[in-house]
Amino acid sequence: PKIRRYLFLKKILRVLAAATTLAAVVVAIFYLPQLRLGPPVMSGVSASTETILRQEISERLAGKYFYIFPKNHLFLFPDREIETILKEHRRLKNFTLDLKFPAALEIFATERKTWAIWCSVVSADCFFADREGFLFESAPQSSGQTILKISDERGENFFGKNILPPSDFQKIVALTELLPKRTGEEVSTIEIKISGNIVNLRLKSGWFLILDDEIEPERALENLILALDTEIKESRENLEYIDLRFEDKVFYRYQGRR
């Protein structure tokens, strides 16, 4: 019996030794430098954004699964975790992840460009807005006269969202960008009224245009130019507003008149 017990224990020890050796080899494979990802290679973003993202992603890749297996191993790459990090950065309009053999992570991204600064009249919160009306980053309330302003009377927080339906916002963008070329007038502030479907374009010259979500930019612009050239003429500086909400008519009012 003692001999049998000895042989049995010896067999168990051999099995344990083999299992331990195998486990050590498996773990060692996951720590091979050739199969571990280095810092991500990024393109399409600014230097400041790259620095922030590189640090956050590197910290996530430095972690381990079950305190053993490294997350920066080529075959254990936590793609969903990295995608979550990138999605949390609203400045990124889109991105792609690409794993290159043997062990390289490449990230291609497109950053949103500032078109205006949106501010809530209710909360005084301000955010940068891109050309699609998407709010992507906190902004100062005052940033000089060079950046277009959007003043919003609604009490909703639009951070990470579009402030208006894309088709409606593109009409505003079109008019805002065409006005200087066709009339010599520049927009200083876009005022979104509390209803959401009425918008005033306040001009640097002092008066403003009234729009709604049903206008056609080119037709509205033609009506505006016709009114300025044939009716208002030299009295432009005395204007309070011009209402462009009607397809075949233009209503306007001079300052001080009711």
Side-chain angles (χ1 to χ4, degrees):
K2 290 184 179 180
I3 296 176
R4 287 182 180 178
R5 188 181 305 157
Y6 171 76
L7 293 175
F8 178 71
L9 290 175
K10 189 175 181 180
K11 188 175 182 180
I12 290 178
L13 290 174
R14 285 178 178 175
V15 171
L16 289 175
T20 302
T21 301
L22 178 62
V25 170
V26 171
V27 172
I29 290 175
F30 283 104
Y31 279 87
L32 286 174
Q34 297 87 341
L35 296 178
R36 299 186 68 181
L37 298 171
V41 177
M42 306 192 67
S43 60
V45 297
S46 64
S48 58
T49 300
E50 180 178 352
T51 299
I52 294 171
L53 290 175
R54 186 189 294 272
Q55 179 179 349
E56 292 184 13
I57 293 172
S58 295
E59 288 177 356
R60 188 61 58 91
L61 293 177
K64 292 182 175 61
Y65 296 107
F66 309 110
Y67 302 99
I68 298 174
F69 302 105
K71 290 186 175 183
N72 64 353
H73 190 276
L74 181 64
F75 301 124
L76 298 178
F77 172 64
D79 54 342
R80 291 188 179 181
E81 294 182 32
I82 303 305
E83 287 176 358
T84 298
I85 290 175
L86 295 171
K87 288 178 181 178
E88 289 175 350
H89 287 265
R90 308 289 188 179
R91 179 175 282 275
L92 299 184
K93 187 174 182 179
N94 50 58
F95 61 85
T96 58
L97 303 178
D98 192 11
L99 286 176
K100 297 288 187 180
F101 191 83
L105 169 61
E106 294 183 357
I107 299 175
F108 303 89
T110 303
E111 283 193 280
R112 299 181 185 276
K113 306 297 182 183
T114 299
W115 189 77
I117 289 182
W118 175 95
C119 290
S120 169
V121 174
V122 178
S123 67
D125 291 332
C126 295
F127 299 94
F128 290 110
D130 68 3
R131 202 172 182 275
E132 298 175 353
F134 184 89
L135 305 187
F136 61 87
E137 190 174 285
S138 180
Q141 289 188 10
S142 177
S143 58
Q145 301 297 318
T146 58
I147 299 181
L148 181 66
K149 307 295 190 305
I150 301 176
S151 174
D152 199 330
E153 293 183 359
R154 300 168 295 173
E156 188 174 345
N157 183 351
F158 289 94
F159 176 65
K161 296 184 289 185
N162 293 81
I163 59 176
L164 290 173
S167 58
D168 294 345
F169 193 75
Q170 288 311 303
K171 295 178 182 179
I172 296 173
V173 170
L175 272 174
T176 299
E177 295 181 347
L178 286 172
L179 277 170
K181 303 173 185 176
R182 305 278 291 274
T183 69
E185 299 287 350
E186 293 186 46
V187 178
S188 62
T189 306
I190 298 170
E191 301 171 344
I192 302 176
K193 312 310 287 184
I194 196 167
S195 63
N197 63 344
I198 304 296
V199 175
N200 293 346
L201 301 186
R202 190 162 295 278
L203 308 177
K204 291 183 179 180
S205 53
W207 50 284
F208 61 92
L209 302 171
I210 303 176
L211 319 173
D212 63 15
D213 55 6
E214 296 183 1
I215 68 157
E216 293 299 328
E218 192 61 39
R219 184 61 178 272
L221 194 57
E222 291 176 359
N223 292 339
L224 172 62
I225 293 173
L226 184 63
L228 290 174
D229 291 345
T230 62
E231 297 181 35
I232 298 170
K233 300 180 180 180
E234 291 81 11
S235 301
R236 185 187 299 197
E237 62 182 20
N238 298 320
L239 280 169
E240 180 180 345
Y241 69 77
I242 295 181
D243 193 336
L244 299 176
R245 289 176 292 176
F246 306 93
E247 184 176 352
D248 298 317
K249 297 180 181 179
V250 170
F251 295 93
Y252 57 89
R253 183 163 69 188
Y254 291 109
Q255 299 175 31
R257 296 183 186 180
R258 293 292 183 270

